[in-house]
PDB file of all heavy atoms in Angstrom:
ATOM      1  N   PRO A   1     110.583 107.041  95.489  1.00 91.00           N
ATOM      2  CA  PRO A   1     110.473 105.578  95.355  1.00 91.00           C
ATOM      3  C   PRO A   1     111.121 105.077  94.057  1.00 91.00           C
ATOM      4  O   PRO A   1     111.807 104.039  94.063  1.00 91.00           O
ATOM      5  CB  PRO A   1     108.971 105.325  95.350  1.00 91.00           C
ATOM      6  CG  PRO A   1     108.381 106.465  96.107  1.00 91.00           C
ATOM      7  CD  PRO A   1     109.252 107.640  95.728  1.00 91.00           C
ATOM      8  N   SER A   2     110.956 105.818  92.960  1.00 93.00           N
ATOM      9  CA  SER A   2     111.563 105.412  91.690  1.00 93.00           C
ATOM     10  C   SER A   2     113.086 105.466  91.773  1.00 93.00           C
ATOM     11  O   SER A   2     113.764 104.566  91.273  1.00 93.00           O
ATOM     12  CB  SER A   2     111.078 106.301  90.558  1.00 93.00           C
ATOM     13  OG  SER A   2     109.698 106.156  90.371  1.00 93.00           O
ATOM     14  N   LEU A   3     113.605 106.513  92.375  1.00 93.00           N
ATOM     15  CA  LEU A   3     115.056 106.660  92.524  1.00 93.00           C
ATOM     16  C   LEU A   3     115.615 105.517  93.385  1.00 93.00           C
ATOM     17  O   LEU A   3     116.621 104.895  93.018  1.00 93.00           O
ATOM     18  CB  LEU A   3     115.397 108.006  93.157  1.00 93.00           C
ATOM     19  CG  LEU A   3     116.891 108.253  93.358  1.00 93.00           C
ATOM     20  CD1 LEU A   3     117.577 108.501  92.033  1.00 93.00           C
ATOM     21  CD2 LEU A   3     117.107 109.431  94.292  1.00 93.00           C
ATOM     22  N   LEU A   4     114.959 105.217  94.494  1.00 95.00           N
ATOM     23  CA  LEU A   4     115.426 104.136  95.364  1.00 95.00           C
ATOM     24  C   LEU A   4     115.328 102.791  94.647  1.00 95.00           C
ATOM     25  O   LEU A   4     116.264 101.970  94.752  1.00 95.00           O
ATOM     26  CB  LEU A   4     114.611 104.109  96.659  1.00 95.00           C
ATOM     27  CG  LEU A   4     114.817 105.316  97.586  1.00 95.00           C
ATOM     28  CD1 LEU A   4     113.792 105.312  98.710  1.00 95.00           C
ATOM     29  CD2 LEU A   4     116.226 105.345  98.151  1.00 95.00           C
ATOM     30  N   LEU A   5     114.269 102.548  93.923  1.00 95.00           N
ATOM     31  CA  LEU A   5     114.120 101.301  93.173  1.00 95.00           C
ATOM     32  C   LEU A   5     115.230 101.174  92.128  1.00 95.00           C
ATOM     33  O   LEU A   5     115.818 100.095  91.979  1.00 95.00           O
ATOM     34  CB  LEU A   5     112.733 101.259  92.513  1.00 95.00           C
ATOM     35  CG  LEU A   5     112.323  99.961  91.832  1.00 95.00           C
ATOM     36  CD1 LEU A   5     112.290  98.801  92.825  1.00 95.00           C
ATOM     37  CD2 LEU A   5     110.965 100.119  91.168  1.00 95.00           C
ATOM     38  N   ASP A   6     115.534 102.250  91.457  1.00 94.00           N
ATOM     39  CA  ASP A   6     116.616 102.246  90.476  1.00 94.00           C
ATOM     40  C   ASP A   6     117.949 101.911  91.129  1.00 94.00           C
ATOM     41  O   ASP A   6     118.718 101.081  90.641  1.00 94.00           O
ATOM     42  CB  ASP A   6     116.694 103.604  89.780  1.00 94.00           C
ATOM     43  CG  ASP A   6     117.744 103.647  88.694  1.00 94.00           C
ATOM     44  OD1 ASP A   6     117.707 102.791  87.785  1.00 94.00           O
ATOM     45  OD2 ASP A   6     118.629 104.540  88.766  1.00 94.00           O
ATOM     46  N   HIS A   7     118.251 102.519  92.281  1.00 93.00           N
ATOM     47  CA  HIS A   7     119.499 102.222  92.996  1.00 93.00           C
ATOM     48  C   HIS A   7     119.549 100.758  93.426  1.00 93.00           C
ATOM     49  O   HIS A   7     120.609 100.130  93.335  1.00 93.00           O
ATOM     50  CB  HIS A   7     119.624 103.124  94.227  1.00 93.00           C
ATOM     51  CG  HIS A   7     120.080 104.510  93.940  1.00 93.00           C
ATOM     52  ND1 HIS A   7     121.289 104.816  93.346  1.00 93.00           N
ATOM     53  CD2 HIS A   7     119.493 105.704  94.193  1.00 93.00           C
ATOM     54  CE1 HIS A   7     121.424 106.120  93.237  1.00 93.00           C
ATOM     55  NE2 HIS A   7     120.340 106.688  93.740  1.00 93.00           N
ATOM     56  N   LEU A   8     118.429 100.239  93.905  1.00 95.00           N
ATOM     57  CA  LEU A   8     118.380  98.841  94.327  1.00 95.00           C
ATOM     58  C   LEU A   8     118.655  97.893  93.166  1.00 95.00           C
ATOM     59  O   LEU A   8     119.446  96.946  93.301  1.00 95.00           O
ATOM     60  CB  LEU A   8     117.027  98.506  94.954  1.00 95.00           C
ATOM     61  CG  LEU A   8     116.791  99.107  96.332  1.00 95.00           C
ATOM     62  CD1 LEU A   8     115.309  99.080  96.686  1.00 95.00           C
ATOM     63  CD2 LEU A   8     117.591  98.347  97.384  1.00 95.00           C
ATOM     64  N   HIS A   9     118.059  98.131  92.051  1.00 95.00           N
ATOM     65  CA  HIS A   9     118.265  97.286  90.881  1.00 95.00           C
ATOM     66  C   HIS A   9     119.703  97.354  90.393  1.00 95.00           C
ATOM     67  O   HIS A   9     120.313  96.334  90.065  1.00 95.00           O
ATOM     68  CB  HIS A   9     117.284  97.645  89.761  1.00 95.00           C
ATOM     69  CG  HIS A   9     115.883  97.228  90.063  1.00 95.00           C
ATOM     70  ND1 HIS A   9     114.821  97.620  89.286  1.00 95.00           N
ATOM     71  CD2 HIS A   9     115.344  96.461  91.047  1.00 95.00           C
ATOM     72  CE1 HIS A   9     113.709  97.110  89.770  1.00 95.00           C
ATOM     73  NE2 HIS A   9     114.000  96.415  90.849  1.00 95.00           N
ATOM     74  N   ARG A  10     120.285  98.576  90.393  1.00 92.00           N
ATOM     75  CA  ARG A  10     121.695  98.714  89.987  1.00 92.00           C
ATOM     76  C   ARG A  10     122.641  98.025  90.955  1.00 92.00           C
ATOM     77  O   ARG A  10     123.719  97.602  90.571  1.00 92.00           O
ATOM     78  CB  ARG A  10     122.069 100.182  89.813  1.00 92.00           C
ATOM     79  CG  ARG A  10     121.553 100.746  88.496  1.00 92.00           C
ATOM     80  CD  ARG A  10     122.121 102.109  88.183  1.00 92.00           C
ATOM     81  NE  ARG A  10     121.402 103.104  88.993  1.00 92.00           N
ATOM     82  CZ  ARG A  10     121.962 104.150  89.551  1.00 92.00           C
ATOM     83  NH1 ARG A  10     123.247 104.362  89.440  1.00 92.00           N
ATOM     84  NH2 ARG A  10     121.238 104.992  90.260  1.00 92.00           N
ATOM     85  N   ALA A  11     122.229  97.906  92.230  1.00 93.00           N
ATOM     86  CA  ALA A  11     123.062  97.223  93.232  1.00 93.00           C
ATOM     87  C   ALA A  11     122.879  95.709  93.195  1.00 93.00           C
ATOM     88  O   ALA A  11     123.519  95.001  93.959  1.00 93.00           O
ATOM     89  CB  ALA A  11     122.726  97.759  94.623  1.00 93.00           C
ATOM     90  N   GLY A  12     121.984  95.216  92.307  1.00 93.00           N
ATOM     91  CA  GLY A  12     121.818  93.783  92.161  1.00 93.00           C
ATOM     92  C   GLY A  12     120.611  93.187  92.866  1.00 93.00           C
ATOM     93  O   GLY A  12     120.413  91.985  92.811  1.00 93.00           O
ATOM     94  N   LEU A  13     119.808  93.999  93.516  1.00 93.00           N
ATOM     95  CA  LEU A  13     118.605  93.484  94.166  1.00 93.00           C
ATOM     96  C   LEU A  13     117.444  93.565  93.177  1.00 93.00           C
ATOM     97  O   LEU A  13     116.588  94.456  93.245  1.00 93.00           O
ATOM     98  CB  LEU A  13     118.300  94.270  95.455  1.00 93.00           C
ATOM     99  CG  LEU A  13     119.133  93.816  96.656  1.00 93.00           C
ATOM    100  CD1 LEU A  13     120.459  94.546  96.655  1.00 93.00           C
ATOM    101  CD2 LEU A  13     118.380  94.069  97.919  1.00 93.00           C
ATOM    102  N   HIS A  14     117.418  92.627  92.234  1.00 94.00           N
ATOM    103  CA  HIS A  14     116.448  92.647  91.147  1.00 94.00           C
ATOM    104  C   HIS A  14     115.086  92.115  91.544  1.00 94.00           C
ATOM    105  O   HIS A  14     114.129  92.244  90.762  1.00 94.00           O
ATOM    106  CB  HIS A  14     117.000  91.865  89.955  1.00 94.00           C
ATOM    107  CG  HIS A  14     118.275  92.421  89.446  1.00 94.00           C
ATOM    108  ND1 HIS A  14     118.336  93.615  88.757  1.00 94.00           N
ATOM    109  CD2 HIS A  14     119.553  91.968  89.535  1.00 94.00           C
ATOM    110  CE1 HIS A  14     119.597  93.877  88.444  1.00 94.00           C
ATOM    111  NE2 HIS A  14     120.348  92.893  88.897  1.00 94.00           N
ATOM    112  N   ASP A  15     114.960  91.541  92.752  1.00 95.00           N
ATOM    113  CA  ASP A  15     113.667  91.027  93.185  1.00 95.00           C
ATOM    114  C   ASP A  15     112.823  92.064  93.912  1.00 95.00           C
ATOM    115  O   ASP A  15     111.718  91.778  94.360  1.00 95.00           O
ATOM    116  CB  ASP A  15     113.825  89.777  94.051  1.00 95.00           C
ATOM    117  CG  ASP A  15     114.484  90.059  95.397  1.00 95.00           C
ATOM    118  OD1 ASP A  15     115.223  91.062  95.502  1.00 95.00           O
ATOM    119  OD2 ASP A  15     114.247  89.277  96.327  1.00 95.00           O
ATOM    120  N   VAL A  16     113.310  93.304  93.994  1.00 96.00           N
ATOM    121  CA  VAL A  16     112.528  94.370  94.634  1.00 96.00           C
ATOM    122  C   VAL A  16     111.469  94.831  93.644  1.00 96.00           C
ATOM    123  O   VAL A  16     111.763  95.155  92.491  1.00 96.00           O
ATOM    124  CB  VAL A  16     113.419  95.547  95.041  1.00 96.00           C
ATOM    125  CG1 VAL A  16     112.574  96.703  95.575  1.00 96.00           C
ATOM    126  CG2 VAL A  16     114.426  95.100  96.100  1.00 96.00           C
ATOM    127  N   VAL A  17     110.208  94.848  94.091  1.00 95.00           N
ATOM    128  CA  VAL A  17     109.098  95.220  93.208  1.00 95.00           C
ATOM    129  C   VAL A  17     108.516  96.593  93.514  1.00 95.00           C
ATOM    130  O   VAL A  17     107.882  97.197  92.659  1.00 95.00           O
ATOM    131  CB  VAL A  17     107.989  94.151  93.237  1.00 95.00           C
ATOM    132  CG1 VAL A  17     108.484  92.849  92.641  1.00 95.00           C
ATOM    133  CG2 VAL A  17     107.458  93.934  94.645  1.00 95.00           C
ATOM    134  N   SER A  18     108.710  97.077  94.742  1.00 96.00           N
ATOM    135  CA  SER A  18     108.194  98.402  95.070  1.00 96.00           C
ATOM    136  C   SER A  18     108.929  98.962  96.282  1.00 96.00           C
ATOM    137  O   SER A  18     109.541  98.216  97.049  1.00 96.00           O
ATOM    138  CB  SER A  18     106.693  98.365  95.350  1.00 96.00           C
ATOM    139  OG  SER A  18     106.419  97.623  96.526  1.00 96.00           O
ATOM    140  N   VAL A  19     108.835 100.284  96.435  1.00 96.00           N
ATOM    141  CA  VAL A  19     109.432 100.970  97.578  1.00 96.00           C
ATOM    142  C   VAL A  19     108.392 101.935  98.123  1.00 96.00           C
ATOM    143  O   VAL A  19     107.833 102.746  97.386  1.00 96.00           O
ATOM    144  CB  VAL A  19     110.712 101.729  97.203  1.00 96.00           C
ATOM    145  CG1 VAL A  19     111.266 102.480  98.400  1.00 96.00           C
ATOM    146  CG2 VAL A  19     111.763 100.791  96.626  1.00 96.00           C
ATOM    147  N   THR A  20     108.150 101.842  99.431  1.00 95.00           N
ATOM    148  CA  THR A  20     107.260 102.771 100.121  1.00 95.00           C
ATOM    149  C   THR A  20     108.132 103.771 100.868  1.00 95.00           C
ATOM    150  O   THR A  20     108.993 103.361 101.662  1.00 95.00           O
ATOM    151  CB  THR A  20     106.362 102.010 101.128  1.00 95.00           C
ATOM    152  OG1 THR A  20     105.618 101.021 100.409  1.00 95.00           O
ATOM    153  CG2 THR A  20     105.413 102.953 101.833  1.00 95.00           C
ATOM    154  N   PRO A  21     107.966 105.060 100.618  1.00 93.00           N
ATOM    155  CA  PRO A  21     108.803 106.058 101.276  1.00 93.00           C
ATOM    156  C   PRO A  21     108.708 105.988 102.810  1.00 93.00           C
ATOM    157  O   PRO A  21     107.647 105.713 103.352  1.00 93.00           O
ATOM    158  CB  PRO A  21     108.262 107.390 100.773  1.00 93.00           C
ATOM    159  CG  PRO A  21     107.506 107.081  99.539  1.00 93.00           C
ATOM    160  CD  PRO A  21     106.982 105.693  99.728  1.00 93.00           C
ATOM    161  N   ALA A  22     109.841 106.228 103.458  1.00 92.00           N
ATOM    162  CA  ALA A  22     109.897 106.327 104.910  1.00 92.00           C
ATOM    163  C   ALA A  22     110.088 107.794 105.262  1.00 92.00           C
ATOM    164  O   ALA A  22     110.751 108.530 104.539  1.00 92.00           O
ATOM    165  CB  ALA A  22     111.061 105.498 105.460  1.00 92.00           C
ATOM    166  N   GLU A  23     109.512 108.186 106.355  1.00 84.00           N
ATOM    167  CA  GLU A  23     109.620 109.578 106.786  1.00 84.00           C
ATOM    168  C   GLU A  23     110.594 109.719 107.927  1.00 84.00           C
ATOM    169  O   GLU A  23     110.889 108.742 108.624  1.00 84.00           O
ATOM    170  CB  GLU A  23     108.245 110.095 107.216  1.00 84.00           C
ATOM    171  CG  GLU A  23     107.249 110.122 106.090  1.00 84.00           C
ATOM    172  CD  GLU A  23     105.919 110.677 106.520  1.00 84.00           C
ATOM    173  OE1 GLU A  23     105.815 111.268 107.613  1.00 84.00           O
ATOM    174  OE2 GLU A  23     104.955 110.498 105.754  1.00 84.00           O
ATOM    175  N   GLY A  24     111.089 110.921 108.143  1.00 81.00           N
ATOM    176  CA  GLY A  24     111.908 111.203 109.302  1.00 81.00           C
ATOM    177  C   GLY A  24     113.392 111.348 109.007  1.00 81.00           C
ATOM    178  O   GLY A  24     114.137 111.745 109.882  1.00 81.00           O
ATOM    179  N   GLY A  25     113.837 111.036 107.804  1.00 77.00           N
ATOM    180  CA  GLY A  25     115.238 111.192 107.501  1.00 77.00           C
ATOM    181  C   GLY A  25     115.627 112.654 107.369  1.00 77.00           C
ATOM    182  O   GLY A  25     114.792 113.507 107.054  1.00 77.00           O
ATOM    183  N   VAL A  26     116.880 112.950 107.604  1.00 79.00           N
ATOM    184  CA  VAL A  26     117.351 114.332 107.534  1.00 79.00           C
ATOM    185  C   VAL A  26     117.945 114.632 106.163  1.00 79.00           C
ATOM    186  O   VAL A  26     117.592 115.630 105.542  1.00 79.00           O
ATOM    187  CB  VAL A  26     118.401 114.602 108.655  1.00 79.00           C
ATOM    188  CG1 VAL A  26     118.975 115.993 108.505  1.00 79.00           C
ATOM    189  CG2 VAL A  26     117.759 114.407 110.012  1.00 79.00           C
ATOM    190  N   ALA A  27     118.817 113.787 105.682  1.00 82.00           N
ATOM    191  CA  ALA A  27     119.521 114.106 104.437  1.00 82.00           C
ATOM    192  C   ALA A  27     119.218 113.114 103.309  1.00 82.00           C
ATOM    193  O   ALA A  27     119.129 113.504 102.149  1.00 82.00           O
ATOM    194  CB  ALA A  27     121.032 114.134 104.687  1.00 82.00           C
ATOM    195  N   ALA A  28     119.059 111.838 103.642  1.00 88.00           N
ATOM    196  CA  ALA A  28     118.908 110.811 102.622  1.00 88.00           C
ATOM    197  C   ALA A  28     117.441 110.536 102.321  1.00 88.00           C
ATOM    198  O   ALA A  28     116.563 110.777 103.147  1.00 88.00           O
ATOM    199  CB  ALA A  28     119.589 109.518 103.076  1.00 88.00           C
ATOM    200  N   LEU A  29     117.200 110.034 101.129  1.00 92.00           N
ATOM    201  CA  LEU A  29     115.901 109.481 100.795  1.00 92.00           C
ATOM    202  C   LEU A  29     115.870 108.077 101.384  1.00 92.00           C
ATOM    203  O   LEU A  29     116.876 107.363 101.380  1.00 92.00           O
ATOM    204  CB  LEU A  29     115.729 109.392  99.272  1.00 92.00           C
ATOM    205  CG  LEU A  29     115.849 110.697  98.495  1.00 92.00           C
ATOM    206  CD1 LEU A  29     115.834 110.413  96.999  1.00 92.00           C
ATOM    207  CD2 LEU A  29     114.727 111.629  98.881  1.00 92.00           C
ATOM    208  N   ALA A  30     114.724 107.645 101.874  1.00 94.00           N
ATOM    209  CA  ALA A  30     114.654 106.309 102.488  1.00 94.00           C
ATOM    210  C   ALA A  30     113.309 105.689 102.250  1.00 94.00           C
ATOM    211  O   ALA A  30     112.311 106.376 101.985  1.00 94.00           O
ATOM    212  CB  ALA A  30     114.909 106.427 103.995  1.00 94.00           C
ATOM    213  N   GLY A  31     113.274 104.363 102.320  1.00 95.00           N
ATOM    214  CA  GLY A  31     112.026 103.655 102.137  1.00 95.00           C
ATOM    215  C   GLY A  31     112.143 102.198 102.537  1.00 95.00           C
ATOM    216  O   GLY A  31     113.210 101.703 102.833  1.00 95.00           O
ATOM    217  N   ILE A  32     110.984 101.550 102.549  1.00 96.00           N
ATOM    218  CA  ILE A  32     110.912 100.110 102.801  1.00 96.00           C
ATOM    219  C   ILE A  32     110.643  99.454 101.457  1.00 96.00           C
ATOM    220  O   ILE A  32     109.660  99.768 100.779  1.00 96.00           O
ATOM    221  CB  ILE A  32     109.791  99.749 103.799  1.00 96.00           C
ATOM    222  CG1 ILE A  32     109.985 100.498 105.120  1.00 96.00           C
ATOM    223  CG2 ILE A  32     109.727  98.241 103.996  1.00 96.00           C
ATOM    224  CD1 ILE A  32     111.227 100.107 105.884  1.00 96.00           C
ATOM    225  N   ALA A  33     111.524  98.547 101.054  1.00 97.00           N
ATOM    226  CA  ALA A  33     111.428  97.876  99.762  1.00 97.00           C
ATOM    227  C   ALA A  33     110.778  96.513  99.941  1.00 97.00           C
ATOM    228  O   ALA A  33     111.181  95.741 100.800  1.00 97.00           O
ATOM    229  CB  ALA A  33     112.808  97.721  99.142  1.00 97.00           C
ATOM    230  N   THR A  34     109.787  96.243  99.095  1.00 97.00           N
ATOM    231  CA  THR A  34     109.114  94.949  99.071  1.00 97.00           C
ATOM    232  C   THR A  34     109.783  94.100  98.013  1.00 97.00           C
ATOM    233  O   THR A  34     109.998  94.541  96.886  1.00 97.00           O
ATOM    234  CB  THR A  34     107.618  95.123  98.744  1.00 97.00           C
ATOM    235  OG1 THR A  34     107.045  95.977  99.735  1.00 97.00           O
ATOM    236  CG2 THR A  34     106.890  93.792  98.720  1.00 97.00           C
ATOM    237  N   ARG A  35     110.075  92.835  98.398  1.00 96.00           N
ATOM    238  CA  ARG A  35     110.773  91.923  97.501  1.00 96.00           C
ATOM    239  C   ARG A  35     109.874  90.746  97.125  1.00 96.00           C
ATOM    240  O   ARG A  35     109.002  90.355  97.893  1.00 96.00           O
ATOM    241  CB  ARG A  35     112.029  91.406  98.188  1.00 96.00           C
ATOM    242  CG  ARG A  35     112.955  92.530  98.625  1.00 96.00           C
ATOM    243  CD  ARG A  35     114.052  92.060  99.520  1.00 96.00           C
ATOM    244  NE  ARG A  35     115.040  91.347  98.717  1.00 96.00           N
ATOM    245  CZ  ARG A  35     116.100  90.738  99.251  1.00 96.00           C
ATOM    246  NH1 ARG A  35     116.271  90.715 100.551  1.00 96.00           N
ATOM    247  NH2 ARG A  35     116.960  90.149  98.479  1.00 96.00           N
ATOM    248  N   ARG A  36     110.104  90.188  95.924  1.00 95.00           N
ATOM    249  CA  ARG A  36     109.378  88.996  95.529  1.00 95.00           C
ATOM    250  C   ARG A  36     109.779  87.806  96.392  1.00 95.00           C
ATOM    251  O   ARG A  36     108.955  86.974  96.738  1.00 95.00           O
ATOM    252  CB  ARG A  36     109.667  88.657  94.062  1.00 95.00           C
ATOM    253  CG  ARG A  36     108.761  89.341  93.082  1.00 95.00           C
ATOM    254  CD  ARG A  36     108.808  88.740  91.707  1.00 95.00           C
ATOM    255  NE  ARG A  36     109.777  88.960  90.758  1.00 95.00           N
ATOM    256  CZ  ARG A  36     110.457  90.054  90.339  1.00 95.00           C
ATOM    257  NH1 ARG A  36     110.415  90.978  90.722  1.00 95.00           N
ATOM    258  NH2 ARG A  36     111.272  90.216  89.453  1.00 95.00           N
ATOM    259  N   GLN A  37     111.062  87.744  96.687  1.00 89.00           N
ATOM    260  CA  GLN A  37     111.597  86.658  97.499  1.00 89.00           C
ATOM    261  C   GLN A  37     112.379  87.287  98.636  1.00 89.00           C
ATOM    262  O   GLN A  37     113.266  88.090  98.413  1.00 89.00           O
ATOM    263  CB  GLN A  37     112.513  85.762  96.670  1.00 89.00           C
ATOM    264  CG  GLN A  37     111.834  85.137  95.487  1.00 89.00           C
ATOM    265  CD  GLN A  37     112.834  84.456  94.565  1.00 89.00           C
ATOM    266  OE1 GLN A  37     114.031  84.633  94.677  1.00 89.00           O
ATOM    267  NE2 GLN A  37     112.313  83.684  93.637  1.00 89.00           N
TER     268      GLN A  37
END
């Protein structure tokens, strides 16, 4: 979740406040990101 949040912020999505991990991926880390707006 921290890694994904860091990537999101670096990509310009600064309103993301948290990431909940998603399961089932094969190679990538994945999650659902909660945004303020």
Side-chain angles (χ1 to χ4, degrees):
S2 296
L3 180 72
L4 293 170
L5 187 61
D6 183 55
H7 281 300
L8 287 163
H9 288 171
R10 282 190 282 141
L13 279 86
H14 300 289
D15 67 335
V16 174
V17 294
S18 66
V19 178
T20 302
E23 296 182 14
V26 175
L29 301 173
I32 303 295
T34 302
R35 303 169 75 184
R36 273 195 280 319
Q37 301 170 347

